[in-house]
Amino acid sequence: MKFRNTSILSLIFIVIFCYISLVISIPLKNGKFWHITDTHYDFMYIEGGDEDKQCREVTYKSKYEKGASAIGNYKCDTSFELLQSSFEYMVKQEEKPDFIIWTGDDPPHLGNSQLNQTLVLQSITNMTNLIRGYFPEIPIFPSIGNHDSYPQHQIGVGPNWLFENVAELWSPFLSNESIETFKLGGYYTELVSEGFRIISLNTVFYYNENRQCLNMTDPAGQLLWLNQTLANASDAGERVWIIGHVPPGYNEKYDVFNFHKQFNDEYLFSFSQYSDIIEFHIYGHEHTDTFRLYYDNPNDHINDIEPTGIMFLSPSLTPWMNQFLPALPNNPGLRLYEYNITTFSLLDYYQFWTNLTDNIITGNIDWQLEYRATEFFNIENLSPVSMYEAYLLIESITSQLLQFHFYNSVSYPTKGCDEICKKIQLCSVRHPFTKGFKECLVEI
């Protein structure tokens, strides 16, 4: 009897050992999430519309010349066909992401005379319903954009009509505490899972075309709240992702700093004490594909010290070209990120695109992979150190820089990149701080 019990125990230990060995040998599945930004769906877009009238009117010119394609036009915002195809493609590629990060700018690029509060709210509502319709039961973490307002770009401290209405609209996927801070300033934080937190910031407060907060040092107390939220996250041993619409630093496409001068560096300094817990930032707004390195101390770059932070800017869905600025349009883009579900670090991203020029000719929207980040940058993951290596590769090899510039507008044909263009591309990546950027332009 004693021998039998010993045999049974031995058998149990063997089974347990085999199970543990099997579990350890099975690699953990990486997490994935979509980043949706700058859709700018134009509900008035019409096939045959005059591109000089934003494809919203059929004019004498567009009647007798070929008007806008139903698929889209580089001088206009997103058509319904382009919008629908993008979501159908996302579902085809990854229908069950862990969550969706959505960084705003839903209404079309229209003058204030063509907009009102009702149309802006309807645009945000339409996009909210569209995302929830294609991705039911998937958590959504949104941020407010500069076009998600009326008048456009003008967002002041709450409570106000915008924050109150959007907070109610987004209440199904935000906690009560998040709704309260959103009503005050359009910002919030959510604990995604144990040890993993997302902080969504309203960076429109600092945007260079927003005049509502010019005489304030900390609109809606957002930076003070951010500091306390990061301190609490640090004490709790959490990893943090930062999301927002307008990024700090220099806009390489429009040759201008995105933030008002008094806000840019202060915003960046807000993260300096917590780089050990912040994995990365994600933004939209510029409609371009790029990234930015940043440092706890803005002078660290002088000694070639590795960066402590990384910001990723995803390109837009809209191909819209600003006709009043000397900048190229872009092809429509979509981005799927991959991350480690244990450490919450960013591993890779897949940049998808569609060639709008070819689409218009063929009458068919053909989404495809443009590039994979780790393959193009020749790196192992998307950590700040790895992206610093990516920067050094771009800086040292001209062909890599030119390809990076080509991807900047989602493979839209460029006129090349002269020495000034190269300086701006490199300096905007390496130096989000004001002084560092200006010095970089002179040094290179």
Side-chain angles (χ1 to χ4, degrees), residues 368-385:
Q368 54 191 293
L369 179 68
E370 183 183 26
Y371 71 94
R372 181 176 178 178
T374 52
E375 291 179 356
F376 170 63
F377 293 120
N378 193 27
I379 52 179
E380 293 184 359
N381 54 50
L382 303 188
S383 69
V385 173

Side-chain angles (χ1 to χ4, degrees), residues 278-312:
I278 299 173
E279 291 291 341
F280 57 90
H281 298 225
I282 285 182
Y283 300 96
H285 178 68
E286 292 191 7
H287 297 194
T288 58
D289 183 347
T290 188
F291 65 95
R292 295 200 177 125
L293 308 168
Y294 72 96
Y295 303 78
D296 291 345
N297 183 336
N299 295 318
D300 283 349
H301 70 273
I302 297 174
N303 300 316
D304 287 330
I305 296 175
E306 293 174 342
T308 51
I310 179 68
M311 304 176 179
F312 292 96

Side-chain angles (χ1 to χ4, degrees), residues 44-91:
M44 293 289 288
Y45 184 104
I46 53 175
E47 181 180 3
D50 189 337
E51 63 180 22
D52 293 329
K53 299 289 184 179
Q54 298 175 290
C55 305
R56 303 178 114 235
E57 301 177 32
V58 176
T59 64
Y60 177 84
K61 172 189 171 184
S62 63
K63 282 182 179 179
Y64 293 94
E65 297 178 14
K66 191 173 183 180
S69 163
I71 288 173
N73 186 286
Y74 286 112
K75 290 186 177 181
C76 305
D77 271 314
T78 305
S79 67
F80 178 75
E81 285 199 25
L82 179 57
L83 180 70
Q84 185 179 46
S85 75
S86 68
F87 276 84
E88 289 176 351
Y89 186 77
M90 283 190 285
V91 169

Side-chain angles (χ1 to χ4, degrees), residues 331-387:
N331 280 304
L334 300 169
R335 181 169 292 184
L336 180 68
Y337 281 94
E338 190 172 14
Y339 71 101
N340 186 304
I341 62 173
T342 303
T343 64
F344 308 110
S345 59
L346 206 55
L347 300 175
D348 209 346
Y349 69 72
Y350 302 82
Q351 183 59 48
F352 300 100
W353 78 303
T354 187
N355 187 329
L356 188 60
T357 300
D358 288 350
N359 296 166
I360 293 170
I361 294 172
T362 63
N364 179 55
I365 301 176
D366 180 27
W367 289 98
Q368 54 191 293
L369 179 68
E370 183 183 26
Y371 71 94
R372 181 176 178 178
T374 52
E375 291 179 356
F376 170 63
F377 293 120
N378 193 27
I379 52 179
E380 293 184 359
N381 54 50
L382 303 188
S383 69
V385 173
S386 291
M387 292 310 298

Side-chain angles (χ1 to χ4, degrees), residues 42 66 68 77 96 104 123 133 137 139 146 176 186 200 205 207 250 267 312 320 328 347 386 405-406 410 435:
D42 192 346
K66 191 173 183 180
D77 271 314
K96 292 185 178 179
S123 289
E137 309 303 322
N146 56 293
N176 290 334
S200 177
F205 278 154
Y207 182 43
Y250 194 81
Y267 179 81
F312 292 96
W320 176 82
L328 294 172
L347 300 175
S386 291
H405 178 249
F406 185 55
V410 198
K435 181 181 178 182

Side-chain angles (χ1 to χ4, degrees), residues 2 9 24 45 63 130 139 146 152 180 198 201 214-215 239 243 269 296 322 363 384 386 407:
K2 184 177 180 180
L9 286 174
I24 292 174
Y45 184 104
K63 282 182 179 179
L130 189 69
N146 56 293
Q152 60 181 339
E180 289 307 308
I198 286 179
L201 297 173
L214 274 173
N215 297 321
R239 309 306 296 174
I243 67 172
F269 279 130
D296 291 345
N322 191 329
S386 291
Y407 286 154

Side-chain angles (χ1 to χ4, degrees), residues 180-253:
E180 289 307 308
T181 57
F182 191 91
K183 287 181 177 179
L184 174 65
Y187 56 84
Y188 66 88
T189 183
E190 289 283 345
L191 187 65
V192 183
S193 61
E194 185 177 356
F196 172 29
R197 179 174 298 278
I198 286 179
I199 297 176
S200 177
L201 297 173
N202 175 12
T203 55
V204 184
F205 278 154
Y206 320 123
Y207 182 43
N208 61 23
E209 292 195 45
N210 184 7
R211 300 181 298 275
Q212 304 304 305
C213 304
L214 274 173
N215 297 321
M216 303 179 189
T217 55
D218 185 15
Q222 179 171 232
L223 297 184
L224 180 63
W225 170 87
L226 172 63
N227 183 271
Q228 188 59 58
T229 302
L230 289 171
N232 293 341
S234 180
D235 292 342
E238 296 169 353
R239 309 306 296 174
V240 176
W241 296 3
I242 305 292
I243 67 172
H245 180 70
V246 185
Y250 194 81
N251 186 324
E252 75 284 353
K253 188 170 186 176

